[in-house]
Amino acid sequence: LETGKLIRCFGSTRITNKKTLEMIHPEYTVFDKDKTPPLPMNLSPVYSLTSGVSQKMLVKLKKYALITLAACEENDLELFPVDFRKRLKLKSIKKTLPAIHFPNTRIDRLSIQALKDTLAFEELLAQQAYITKLKATMAKKISVIIDKGQLRDKFIQLLDFSLTESQLTVLQEIDLDLKSGTPMQRIIQGDVGSGKTVVAAAIAVTLIEKGYKVALMAPTELLAEQHFKTFKNWFDKLNIETHLLLGKTDKKNRARIYSSLSSEKPLIVIGTHTLFQESLTIKNLGLSIIDEQHRFGVQQRKKLEKKGWVNDWQNHMLMMSATPIPRTLSLTIFGALKISTIDSVPSNRKEIITLLIHEQRRQEIIARIDKIFKQEEQVFWVCPLIETDTNVQKQAATSIAAELTKRLGKSKIGLLHGKLENTEKEKIMKSFVNREIDLLVATTVIEVGIDVPNATLIIIDGPENMGLAQLHQLRGRVGRGYKQGFCIMLYGKNLSDNGKKKLEILRNSNDGFDIAEHDLEMRGPGQLLGRQQSGLPNYRIANLVKDSHLLEKAIAISNSEIFKNERIADKLIKRWRPDQLEMDSL
């Protein structure tokens, strides 16, 4: 850099403390004053980088790739017939890629969007082509044909409540799957307290009556134990054998359960990850039920599914989710599965009343808790952290428990968090269920799996630090009996506009499906579910929130005549989703 030379820079500018303009680590070229090169005709791309690769190097590599692209025949690049592309207004790939990477300086935003739409549509179409092939593969597999017997009707008559119209509809949908001769791959989604468990139990009864075993897998021991208690209470009346298999199950009981599972006897076994251990044999496994399926990795779900495989024969699979999935996501994540939705809750359930209160009024809330105790009702107080973290200023569960114990005196207060031993967690939860504890201070470990009908108030401390769906799940821990449930969101002073919007959504809606749609808009699909747990495709171009209209079009096209041409579908998958060529099941 010499005095008298001219520099053309590219980078981000900022004003310094001395009110001067500076540019940190810009890209630049140096030239003589009388030899000023013309401005480029194309915009400069900016790529996300990885260690060891500079922006300049990546741009150079892209240019080399585009030179190779230019040498290709257009017929080799285009996967669809000309008339098909014209009808859908798809741009030429040979022209689209250079224009996307190095757009002309005069190009407008609408033209750029049209180019992106071409690529996004093709990518979404590739995913749908994969789902179509996956469905075809599943249709070739065989499973036991199950007709509804008489035991289910007896089971339903024994219940102390009536099934909703929505639950009965879902049962009919599942019955059609069981009679088809191909393995059922269905997910039941429903809001908190909609009654998914009793539907799963009714289906389990049908399989057991026909001489098959059923395995129910839950993500936590706490939830597995609750399911065991519920199912055993129901199934003892029908003389159905019910087992609980956990990591902590002692050697003697484990041997007894293993022996029963390797026998011909029909029964149900409930457990956690213990159910898909290689050493465990489950003979005549006709149905696998997975609760809170998004809490398991794809490979974990498949391990349980394969427990019942014998040669070409495969067991039926039923999954449950209390986290309603937005429609856009369900079409991609669960595209190869059938979806049943329980969209109503029992009529005797009252809507939970949600209040937004500033943390400055904390003492008023504690005073209100005393009144709840006098009514012999119980309270949850939820904190996002176990230990104090001054950096993010979140209230710690341990310090809250100490403060409440000091303020509420004789009232019994329990503390529950993920770092406790399982035996200690179980002891605390049993004390809360048995009303030996009036108030339970907990971290988000109580998000699922806890059913305490006598709990009528939940205080969520620092709700701005949690996601919408998580907050809705936590809110669903109260109001599970016949009494009115209340939820207090105790927010902090540094509430952002986004945080305020989130809490307003929760105050105005108790509909989990509506909340899930808002959550998708605010956080995006990756954060909403997590890629490992959901099997969510890692899209290069497409955005499931912004491109939902393209997804609808891709689904319609994937069912059209052109996709009977397997060569086109395979090329499309190879271009966009080579990782899925092995046809792994979702």
Side-chain angles (χ1 to χ4, degrees):
L1 299 176
E2 300 172 12
T3 304
K5 295 277 187 182
L6 290 181
I7 304 170
R8 181 177 288 156
C9 301
F10 170 77
S12 297
T13 57
R14 68 183 185 189
I15 304 290
T16 67
N17 292 334
K18 296 179 180 180
K19 306 298 180 186
T20 59
L21 202 63
E22 73 176 9
M23 188 181 285
I24 304 295
H25 300 303
E27 290 182 39
Y28 65 90
T29 53
V30 182
F31 47 87
D32 293 324
K33 192 172 183 180
D34 57 344
K35 294 180 181 178
T36 307
L39 283 168
M41 295 298 294
N42 301 95
L43 298 173
S44 302
V46 180
Y47 300 107
S48 298
L49 299 176
T50 189
S51 178
V53 180
S54 68
Q55 196 68 239
K56 196 173 284 186
M57 183 192 296
L58 200 51
V59 168
K60 196 173 182 180
L61 290 169
K62 299 284 184 183
K63 285 180 176 176
Y64 282 143
L66 290 172
I67 289 169
T68 306
L69 180 80
C72 295
E73 292 291 333
E74 189 151 337
N75 289 340
D76 295 332
L77 297 171
E78 299 299 340
L79 302 181
F80 306 111
V82 176
D83 59 337
F84 179 84
R85 295 203 327 259
K86 283 182 178 177
R87 179 158 54 92
L88 292 174
K89 298 179 182 176
L90 299 177
K91 306 293 182 185
S92 157
I93 291 293
K94 194 168 184 177
K95 293 175 183 175
T96 295
L97 289 174
I100 282 281
H101 286 279
F102 300 95
N104 188 285
T105 54
R106 295 179 181 178
I107 197 167
D108 58 69
R109 286 184 178 273
L110 285 175
S111 300
I112 283 282
Q113 190 58 51
L115 296 170
K116 283 184 178 177
D117 283 354
T118 289
L119 297 178
F121 175 72
E122 195 174 290
E123 185 174 23
L124 291 167
L125 198 53
Q127 178 67 10
Q128 292 306 313
Y130 167 71
I131 288 171
T132 300
K133 287 181 74 71
L134 195 57
K135 284 179 177 176
T137 303
M138 289 298 298
K140 292 175 185 175
K141 295 179 180 178
I142 57 172
S143 188
V144 60
I145 296 173
I146 299 289
D147 287 310
K148 175 180 160 294
Q150 297 177 350
L151 198 58
R152 186 198 294 176
D153 291 335
K154 187 177 178 183
F155 166 69
I156 292 172
Q157 287 167 10
L158 287 171
L159 298 172
D160 54 5
F161 55 87
S162 299
L163 297 186
T164 64
E165 202 64 43
S166 188
Q167 288 171 315
L168 293 171
T169 300
V170 170
L171 282 173
Q172 289 171 1
E173 291 169 353
I174 294 170
D175 283 339
L176 289 174
D177 287 349
L178 296 177
K179 289 191 287 189
S180 69
T182 58
M184 173 173 69
Q185 293 273 308
R186 185 174 285 276
I187 182 165
I188 305 176
Q189 62 167 349
D191 214 339
V192 177
S194 59
K196 297 175 293 296
T197 304
V198 73
V199 170
I203 297 301
V205 166
T206 303
L207 269 290
I208 292 167
E209 183 182 8
K210 299 296 180 181
Y212 292 92
K213 289 185 178 67
V214 175
L216 191 161
M217 184 167 73
T220 65
E221 291 194 347
L222 208 59
L223 186 50
E225 287 165 349
Q226 183 173 291
H227 278 316
F228 174 70
K229 183 180 177 183
T230 302
F231 276 73
K232 187 165 177 57
N233 181 46
W234 286 336
F235 286 5
D236 278 357
K237 299 168 187 173
L238 301 171
N239 295 317
I240 292 174
E241 205 171 292
T242 308
H243 294 288
L244 177 65
L245 184 61
L246 304 173
K248 66 182 180 184
T249 302
D250 62 64
K251 195 173 180 181
K252 184 180 177 182
N253 278 322
R254 185 178 293 272
R256 177 180 57 82
I257 294 168
Y258 270 47
S259 176
S260 292
L261 293 176
S262 61
S263 72
E264 298 282 348
K265 190 172 183 180
L267 52 82
I268 183 168
V269 59
I270 297 165
T272 54
H273 301 74
T274 50
L275 293 180
F276 59 71
Q277 302 304 314
E278 286 184 18
S279 59
L280 178 63
T281 299
I282 308 178
K283 195 166 187 179
N284 290 341
L285 178 62
L287 173 67
S288 298
I289 303 170
I290 300 179
D291 193 18
E292 288 301 311
Q293 58 80 35
H294 65 282
R295 301 277 290 273
F296 293 98
V298 177
Q299 295 304 319
Q300 292 175 323
R301 299 200 295 260
K302 286 173 68 177
K303 279 182 181 177
L304 179 61
E305 183 183 4
K306 288 184 177 179
K307 279 286 178 192
W309 289 17
V310 181
N311 299 324
D312 293 331
W313 189 86
Q314 188 172 327
N315 59 303
H316 296 290
M317 176 71 77
L318 184 65
M319 289 166 270
M320 298 191 288
S321 177
T323 306
I325 306 298
R327 184 171 178 273
T328 308
L329 278 186
S330 68
L331 291 171
T332 52
I333 301 166
F334 305 132
L337 307 179
K338 293 178 181 176
I339 303 173
S340 287
T341 300
I342 301 178
D343 53 12
S344 61
V345 294
S347 57
N348 54 18
R349 288 275 174 93
K350 296 178 181 177
E351 274 203 359
I352 299 162
I353 296 170
T354 303
L355 305 168
L356 308 184
I357 297 179
H358 195 282
E359 64 179 3
Q360 288 177 336
R361 296 172 62 192
R362 186 178 294 268
Q363 301 311 317
E364 291 179 41
I365 305 302
I366 295 172
R368 177 171 178 167
I369 289 172
D370 216 18
K371 293 179 182 178
I372 299 286
F373 290 161
K374 286 173 183 173
Q375 295 169 10
E376 297 187 343
E377 295 168 2
Q378 291 163 284
V379 179
F380 286 108
W381 191 303
V382 181
C383 308
L385 290 184
I386 297 168
E387 296 162 353
T388 305
D389 186 337
T390 53
N391 293 327
V392 290
Q393 299 178 337
K394 296 177 183 175
Q395 289 290 346
T398 45
S399 60
I400 287 287
E403 182 190 351
L404 291 173
T405 302
K406 188 177 178 181
R407 282 292 314 277
L408 296 170
K410 295 178 182 178
S411 299
K412 298 187 183 94
I413 295 170
L415 175 62
L416 184 71
H417 56 72
K419 287 187 178 178
L420 291 173
E421 292 293 328
N422 286 330
T423 51
E424 187 63 20
K425 283 185 201 171
E426 183 182 359
K427 182 181 175 184
I428 292 166
M429 272 315 306
K430 280 182 179 173
S431 296
F432 193 56
V433 171
N434 294 333
R435 302 190 188 186
E436 294 163 8
I437 290 175
D438 297 322
L439 185 148
L440 184 63
V441 179
T443 56
T444 53
V445 71
I446 65 144
E447 185 180 339
V448 294
I450 292 181
D451 191 4
V452 186
N454 193 52
T456 58
L457 172 64
I458 183 166
I459 295 114
I460 302 176
D461 214 335
E464 60 270 32
N465 301 304
M466 304 178 208
L468 265 172
Q470 185 183 39
L471 289 168
H472 180 60
Q473 287 293 312
L474 288 168
R475 176 169 61 180
R477 295 309 97 204
V478 297
R480 299 178 77 86
Y482 304 122
K483 298 175 183 177
Q484 178 66 60
F486 294 88
C487 173
I488 293 176
M489 304 276 182
L490 201 60
Y491 64 90
K493 60 183 178 181
N494 296 321
L495 186 64
S496 65
D497 289 341
N498 200 45
K500 188 176 181 181
K501 180 183 175 185
K502 179 169 62 178
L503 298 186
E504 287 289 347
I505 290 166
L506 283 159
R507 180 167 65 181
N508 297 329
S509 177
N510 270 284
D511 184 341
F513 292 94
D514 176 53
I515 288 165
E517 292 290 348
H518 284 295
D519 208 9
L520 176 63
E521 288 172 19
M522 293 177 75
R523 293 200 294 156
Q527 285 190 353
L528 187 62
L529 292 173
R531 299 192 185 281
Q532 182 190 354
Q533 286 73 28
S534 66
L536 186 65
N538 187 12
Y539 291 110
R540 294 174 173 86
I541 305 292
N543 180 307
L544 290 179
V545 179
K546 295 176 182 175
D547 297 328
S548 58
H549 64 294
L550 296 176
L551 178 59
E552 299 280 354
K553 191 191 290 187
I555 291 168
I557 295 298
S558 68
N559 295 319
S560 68
E561 192 68 28
I562 194 168
F563 271 83
K564 290 182 180 176
N565 183 334
E566 285 194 24
R567 186 182 62 83
I568 292 177
D570 287 344
K571 280 188 174 183
L572 199 57
I573 294 168
K574 189 175 181 181
R575 175 182 283 178
W576 287 99
R577 306 235 61 91
D579 55 311
Q580 294 181 333
L581 285 175
E582 294 179 5
M583 303 301 293
D584 280 347
S585 169
L586 290 177

